[in-house]
Structure formats: structure tokens, C-alpha cells
Amino acid sequence: MKTSFTIVCAALTLLAQAETWNVEVGGGGVNGTPYYAPQNLTINQGDEVLWTWVSGQHNVTQTSGPVFFASGTMGSPNTFAFIFDQPGTYEYECTVGNHAATQFGTIVVNPANTVS
């Protein structure tokens, strides 16, 4: 019983501290060089990243890391969200055309604090 209580408390603490991080997705075609802004993030386990398309046709495709995620190709305006439940380093890029040459990013997910 004590173990279940500890797990529930840890989960509630993690949820209470979770943040949403915003990444702008844009560029390409007449809009210029494809990009993600910011390109690199350091977040905590349980945080959410929300990618928001502001121009062009793009996707968000994980290329390395503990858990796979992918948005599929979308045009603007659009959004894609992913909650990072596993700590580690995640790399991602846009696989549309040659966008990956400039449109790539890294997310470092720090482990959540433990509840004693």
C-alpha cells in the first residue's frame, strides 16, 4: 500500500511541475531557409513540446533517442505536441525535400526529481 501511495505522489508531483515548451516551425519555399526555433531545448521528464507551423510544409521526425515520435507532413497553420516521458537525448529533423540540411534540432530530457 505504501508503494502505491509513493507512486501516485510521484506521478502527481511530476504532472504538477510539467511545462509546455514552444518550437516554431517555418521557412522553405518563398519563406526562406527551413528552421525550428529554438533549435535546441533542455527540458524535464514529463514536459511537453508543442511545435507550431508558421509557414511552409514540414514535419518533425525523431532520428535518435529513447522513444520515437513523428508529426507527419503538415502545412501551416498546424501544431504537433509530444510529452517526453523518458529521459535522454532526442534528435529530430524535417524530412521534406532537403530541409534537414538546416531544419534539425535536439531535445535533452533531464530525469524528474524523485519524491522521498
Side-chain angles (χ1 to χ4, degrees):
M1 183 70 162
K2 185 176 180 181
T3 301
S4 296
F5 178 75
T6 302
I7 291 170
V8 169
C9 287
L12 290 175
T13 300
L14 183 61
L15 288 174
Q17 296 174 352
E19 290 187 51
T20 298
W21 300 83
N22 296 296
V23 175
E24 186 175 289
V25 180
V30 297
N31 300 311
T33 303
Y35 68 91
Y36 297 120
Q39 189 173 26
N40 302 305
L41 287 173
T42 299
I43 66 175
N44 293 316
Q45 183 178 4
D47 285 358
E48 175 182 61
V49 175
L50 177 67
W51 288 268
T52 301
W53 278 241
V54 296
S55 62
Q57 290 270 328
H58 307 281
N59 61 44
V60 175
T61 303
Q62 184 255 5
T63 57
S64 69
V67 178
F68 181 76
F69 61 92
S71 67
T73 300
M74 298 186 269
S76 63
N78 245 312
T79 61
F80 170 70
F82 187 80
I83 296 173
F84 289 84
D85 289 329
Q86 297 293 320
T89 299
Y90 296 78
E91 295 181 353
Y92 64 96
E93 66 186 19
C94 178
T95 62
V96 173
N98 62 354
H99 290 193
T102 60
Q103 194 170 23
F104 56 90
T106 302
I107 298 172
V108 176
V109 180
N110 294 322
N113 295 331
T114 57
V115 176
S116 56

